[in-house]
Amino acid sequence: MKKNIFKFFSALAVSATVLTGCIEETFPEGGTATSDQIGASATALEASVNGLPSQMVQGYLVYKGKQVHETDIAYPSLMLAQTELLGDFVPVDYGYDWWNRYNVCTGMANNGYYSYLPYFTLYQFVKSANDIIGVVDINDESLSDEMRGYAGMAYAFRAFDYYMLMVLFEPVDNIYTDCSKVLGLTVPIVTESTTNDIAKNNPRATHDEMVEFILSDLDKAEACLANYTPATKNFPDLAVVYGLKAKVYLWDENYEQAAAYARKAIDTSGATPMTAAQWNDPTTGFNTATSAWMWYFHPTSDNMGNLANFTGHVSGEADWGYSALSQPMIARSLYDEIADTDFRKYSFLDPDRSFYNYQSVRGSAWLDEKPDYFSLKFRCANGDYQTYTVGASVDIPVMRVEEMYLIEAEAVGVSQGVAAGVAKLNSFMQGYRQPDYNCTLSDLREFQLEVLKQMRIEFWGEGNAFPTAKRLKPGVIQNYEGTNVPVDTYKINCQGIKPNWNLVIPIDEIDSNVALQGLNNPDPSNAIPVRPTPIGEYAPGNAGGGN
């Protein structure tokens, strides 16, 4: 893909404005206002804060309403990208799966959409949070609890944005690309006080610097939200702040703190994990928030298009989007790891259709035509699979309490001993997922991989398992006897991680920020040249790296 695909952005100076434009860029309709427009009134702040969750599900966000690339669907795009990076999302027809590059590890260079859109999507979010943070002095003792709460939510949003940037762009070592020059580096930090001149020479923050920055934002959010509760779960509350701290500490391998904050998130939220009835409901399953959903977003007809919506890409029942053509499936190898007594298995069509009484608003004859392992996890709102403005107006989970239980289990296992972690995992699984589950592992590494497996099952399509996988480097096997991946391009087996788990910073940002030049993550696109990888083998590494 040639660099001139970004001429539209050059005209808008996006390469400078998403980082330097954290000071001056104006967002499209449905986003937040600039800091000058916000002012310091509670009414203006409220309107701007209300725009944050709307922007997180804005269709064609980066391209300003232009239908340029179908992965331009804000935060849900990152959910799908992370699921595909894991290799857990498998399409029947890969030509209609817009996220397939993340799965097959091709076309990931610094001048392509698949580095461009995640990077600039997240910095769009950062800019909106910065505009709110920049006009509220949280050290002003006369500030009302309401105004302080608005600032607290903005700090939590920004912390989440930088957490996502960190886990996607911080490289981990692998045998396929040479990351030696950039290990321990994340992304540039841009705040409400970053000037244009600073942004043009703004280095990648180190891992430690980024973790410290994110935790500082979360400390501020915690203080600001101590006496303020958001009106809905579309906004982060105190429990979500604790959950974000748990996620950051887990990425930082500070397991003691990760366990402590995961437990604080569980206790503060009062949330209970989803039930089988909620999970597999043919009308409301994974489109209507339950008490388990600590934080979620909700697109409306005003900020989506017929192809620019999450449901149209992930729900096999939706008739208006690409999923009707791609027909999303779970990877067979992961499906086979789900016990028959685990109700999460009912989300996917078993080769033996008598295994479960599958139900769809589209009828049994329609179901009979679907492929094995076909996903029924994400249903259309109100069961409307024909009208996108209705069927895609769904609740989209960002943080569920189940994630906190699984973070707690792994973190306790590392910090307090494997037996203690196993007890936590057994308690969660037996109480909420699989009554006859019984983990008896005593090896720490094997236990951590078992927790990861449960996260991959739990968060299929949501992406939340990806940071744990990238941290643990479990190895990826996509070519095996009986694999259901559609073509040889997908049939790759990688030791540790896929090389594209380290996303590449876009060339536009490199060109506009001199501190990044020579310090980009290596292009992983040609790091696995032979496909399919032979069954039972890992693809060989590149001795010279992938640059």
Side-chain angles (χ1 to χ4, degrees), residues 54-71:
S54 177
Q55 185 188 42
M56 296 290 274
V57 287
Q58 177 69 52
Y60 304 125
L61 168 73
V62 175
Y63 282 95
K64 310 298 183 191
K66 305 285 188 179
Q67 186 179 352
V68 177
H69 202 266
E70 299 302 343
T71 64

Side-chain angles (χ1 to χ4, degrees), residues 353-499:
R353 300 303 171 85
S354 64
F355 166 74
Y356 175 69
N357 182 26
Y358 294 102
Q359 297 180 47
S360 170
V361 293
R362 303 198 63 169
S364 56
W366 179 86
L367 272 178
D368 289 343
E369 298 174 351
K370 297 299 108 180
D372 296 340
Y373 315 110
F374 179 78
S375 171
L376 290 171
K377 180 176 176 179
F378 297 92
R379 309 288 187 150
C380 302
N382 299 318
D384 192 330
Y385 60 88
Q386 294 178 308
T387 310
Y388 82 90
T389 54
V390 177
S393 293
V394 299
D395 295 333
I396 297 175
V398 181
M399 182 183 292
R400 294 194 281 118
V401 74
E402 292 90 342
E403 183 179 7
M404 297 299 110
Y405 278 99
L406 292 168
I407 287 175
E408 181 185 41
E410 185 199 347
V412 165
V414 179
S415 62
Q416 300 178 29
V418 177
V422 166
K424 289 286 186 182
L425 180 60
N426 281 335
S427 176
F428 169 73
M429 290 294 294
Q430 293 167 9
Y432 300 110
R433 294 293 175 262
Q434 180 190 337
D436 60 351
Y437 181 87
N438 186 30
C439 178
T440 59
L441 294 170
S442 58
D443 179 81
L444 177 58
R445 171 73 174 175
E446 290 180 1
F447 168 68
Q448 288 180 287
L449 294 179
E450 173 64 18
V451 176
L452 171 60
K453 181 180 75 177
Q454 297 305 328
M455 292 188 79
R456 290 169 60 200
I457 295 166
E458 184 76 25
F459 299 110
W460 185 92
E462 299 170 69
N464 301 58
F466 174 73
T468 289
K470 186 171 177 177
R471 173 173 49 84
L472 295 179
K473 299 193 289 187
V476 180
I477 302 294
Q478 295 179 201
N479 193 27
Y480 49 88
E481 292 292 344
T483 183
N484 63 327
V485 300
V487 290
D488 284 351
T489 314
Y490 284 77
K491 295 178 180 178
I492 52 176
N493 301 333
C494 298
Q495 180 178 322
I497 68 168
K498 292 181 187 175

